[in-house]
Amino acid sequence: MPDDIPLEGPARRMTVPSAAPQPSARATHAWQRNARLWDFHFGVALVVAELFVAFSHGPGLWVWLMNGWLLLSVPLYVAVGRPALHGDPENSRRAVAFCAGMAVLYTPAAILAQEASVAMVALAPLSYMLLDRLRAMAFLLVYNIAPLVGWTVLMWDDPGHLLRTVLIAVVVAGSSMAIGGWVESIVVQSTERAELIRRLDESRDELTRLSVAHGALLERERLAREIHDTLAQGFTSLVMLCQALEGELERNPEQARRYVDLMQRTARENLAESRSLVASLTPAQLDDSSLDEAVRRLGDRLAEELGIEVDVHVSGTPRELPPAVEVVALRASQEALSNIRKHAHATRVELSLAHTPQGLELTVRDNGRGFVPTSPGKGYGLPGMRARVSEIGGTTELTSAPGEGTRLTVRLTAASCPDAPALPAPLQETNR
């Protein structure tokens, strides 16, 4: 092997490390993301209730005792209520324990001092946020009816005061249930939206997985076509040249040397194609020459290998074309000539490349034995070529019959194809 052919190319980075997924704020409810706001709300409601009691009844031992008793709701909220509100929403035991404890602390204070009813501003929404509707309404009735019963017992001898107390209790109960119902509707809506977001995230992940899988499938198909149209055809040429060389070694040494030179050129081109394929670049034949020259070389190579007449015609005015058009035209030429080399047993081949205003028209005709185009075949070449052509909006026409040769026409439109053959979107990052 000559020294100027390196065996390996430079190492290339094939994957890009992806960032670790970050937890989404959408995974929690709005009130769970604002824990301090509800802590502040509960604290303000409790402080206002105690101030109302203190200023309404003045200093006194029973006032201090009542405020101290009501103040026990702070450790109850910290130890039981807050974890139930900002922790596991399904922890119903802790929620029920908090609401029951608040009933024990709140109702005596509300019976002895109606001003303590201000604490309902915090108890009503918390009850609906912690419990389901029926349990929340049950505790709200306890919060409102228990003080009302106590007031009735204490003030039965003052009908006017009792009537005013009942009206206050009714207003407080109605407003607390209205506010609580509104809070519950927000909770239900937030829960439904959280479930919807979860399902959307799952659907997005599944779509991403399917997109990557589809992209990998398209990439495998692309690589299969590239290997078939380049490396496999080159190896086929080498095998045929080796067979021809065996018969000429002793009989015609000069012809044998020509076969050896041709094998060396074919091997070099195959090596260049393999590197080009790994690097996902344009075909090696187009690196330093035009499409017209590459097609002419393919025709000359076929004539030299098979010893048959190959006429190459290039017509029209060449113009700049998207790389995808030139790649597909070259691959279609390679596939057509490879089929002639392997199957046609032709003595004459015509290869025509016409530059048209719309794009390119490639025609390959031979006088070989032909075949029935509608009969199913086991090869990959023609289906792969048709798929490659259709991907960029081109058309393929094949006519043949037993004993009458074969004619293949490929029409490529420059306006309908991309500027360059690209990898599928999910693979563009991982194949850099």
Side-chain angles (χ1 to χ4, degrees):
M1 178 178 292
D3 296 334
D4 61 342
I5 301 179
L7 295 178
E8 295 183 359
R12 300 168 61 245
R13 186 178 182 86
M14 297 301 294
T15 58
V16 177
S18 58
Q22 300 296 327
S24 173
R26 298 182 303 172
T28 57
H29 296 291
W31 64 86
Q32 293 175 325
R33 297 198 301 268
N34 298 280
R36 294 182 180 179
L37 178 61
W38 284 106
D39 299 342
F40 177 77
H41 177 74
F42 182 83
V44 168
L46 183 62
V47 170
V48 171
E50 298 219 358
L51 290 177
F52 273 20
V53 172
F55 283 107
S56 298
H57 298 277
L61 179 60
W62 73 272
V63 173
W64 288 106
L65 291 176
M66 183 172 53
N67 280 344
W69 176 257
L70 190 59
L71 197 62
L72 293 176
S73 58
V74 173
L76 178 64
Y77 174 79
V78 173
V80 182
R82 194 177 192 276
L85 180 64
H86 307 300
D88 184 5
E90 301 297 331
N91 192 352
S92 59
R93 292 184 179 179
R94 181 172 290 178
V96 171
F98 170 75
C99 293
M102 286 304 302
V104 173
L105 297 176
Y106 164 75
T107 52
I111 291 174
L112 296 177
Q114 297 178 4
E115 294 78 8
S117 300
V118 175
M120 285 294 297
V121 175
L123 292 179
L126 286 176
S127 299
Y128 276 98
M129 291 168 61
L130 292 172
L131 304 171
D132 58 81
R133 175 175 293 184
L134 293 179
R135 290 184 179 182
M137 292 182 65
F139 275 103
L140 286 178
L141 289 176
V142 172
Y143 295 151
N144 287 277
I145 292 178
L148 180 60
V149 172
W151 297 334
T152 303
V153 173
L154 294 177
M155 297 176 291
W156 64 273
D157 57 344
D158 188 353
H161 195 184
L162 179 61
L163 179 61
R164 184 185 65 181
T165 301
V166 171
L167 291 176
I168 292 175
V170 171
V171 171
V172 172
S175 61
S176 63
M177 289 188 178
I179 295 174
W182 176 72
V183 171
E184 188 205 19
S185 65
I186 295 177
V187 172
V188 172
Q189 186 182 55
S190 178
T191 303
E192 292 175 349
R193 289 183 176 179
E195 177 65 16
L196 177 61
I197 290 173
R198 183 188 66 81
R199 293 182 179 180
L200 289 176
D201 288 340
E202 291 179 354
S203 300
R204 181 186 60 185
D205 294 340
E206 179 68 11
L207 181 61
T208 301
R209 185 187 67 81
L210 294 176
S211 177
V212 171
H214 180 65
L217 178 61
L218 293 179
E219 180 65 1
R220 285 196 294 269
E221 292 179 353
R222 185 187 75 86
L223 290 176
R225 289 197 299 265
E226 292 289 342
I227 293 173
H228 178 274
D229 293 343
T230 57
L231 303 182
Q233 293 180 6
F235 290 138
T236 301
S237 297
L238 288 174
V239 171
M240 298 182 66
L241 288 172
C242 289
Q243 294 174 348
L245 178 62
E246 290 179 352
E248 300 292 342
L249 282 175
E250 297 180 357
R251 184 177 55 190
N252 191 346
E254 186 66 26
Q255 181 64 26
R257 281 193 293 271
R258 286 197 294 269
Y259 282 148
V260 171
D261 293 339
L262 189 56
M263 290 171 62
Q264 188 178 31
R265 293 204 309 269
T266 302
R268 285 177 178 272
E269 291 178 2
N270 233 33
L271 181 59
E273 284 286 359
S274 64
R275 289 174 180 163
S276 176
L277 181 61
V278 171
S280 296
L281 301 175
T282 57
Q285 296 96 325
L286 299 178
D287 285 344
D288 54 359
S289 62
S290 65
L291 174 64
D292 300 347
E293 295 172 347
V295 170
R296 291 183 185 277
R297 284 201 302 269
L298 290 176
D300 295 340
R301 173 66 56 79
L302 182 67
E304 191 173 359
E305 288 181 7
L306 302 182
I308 63 175
E309 181 181 358
V310 180
D311 294 331
V312 180
H313 303 283
V314 178
S315 60
T317 302
R319 60 190 179 94
E320 185 176 357
L321 295 171
V325 173
E326 295 188 347
V327 170
V328 173
L330 179 63
R331 297 305 187 210
S333 303
Q334 290 175 320
E335 175 60 27
L337 297 182
S338 176
N339 287 336
I340 293 173
R341 179 185 295 110
K342 291 185 291 186
H343 308 297
H345 299 284
T347 60
R348 189 172 188 277
V349 176
E350 295 180 6
L351 195 157
S352 173
L353 181 65
H355 294 270
T356 65
Q358 293 76 25
L360 286 175
E361 181 173 316
L362 173 70
T363 303
V364 181
R365 182 189 296 108
D366 67 75
N367 63 348
R369 61 183 181 180
F371 64 101
V372 179
T374 57
S375 62
K378 299 181 180 180
Y380 181 81
L382 287 177
M385 182 184 66
R386 288 193 177 98
R388 187 194 295 273
V389 171
S390 63
E391 283 179 359
I392 64 169
T395 60
T396 304
E397 180 182 343
L398 178 66
T399 58
S400 182
E404 298 183 5
T406 303
R407 175 191 175 102
L408 173 69
T409 302
V410 175
R411 296 181 180 87
L412 303 174
T413 303
S416 63
C417 72
D419 290 341
L423 296 177
L427 296 181
Q428 287 178 351
E429 182 175 332
T430 60
N431 284 275
R432 285 186 219 167

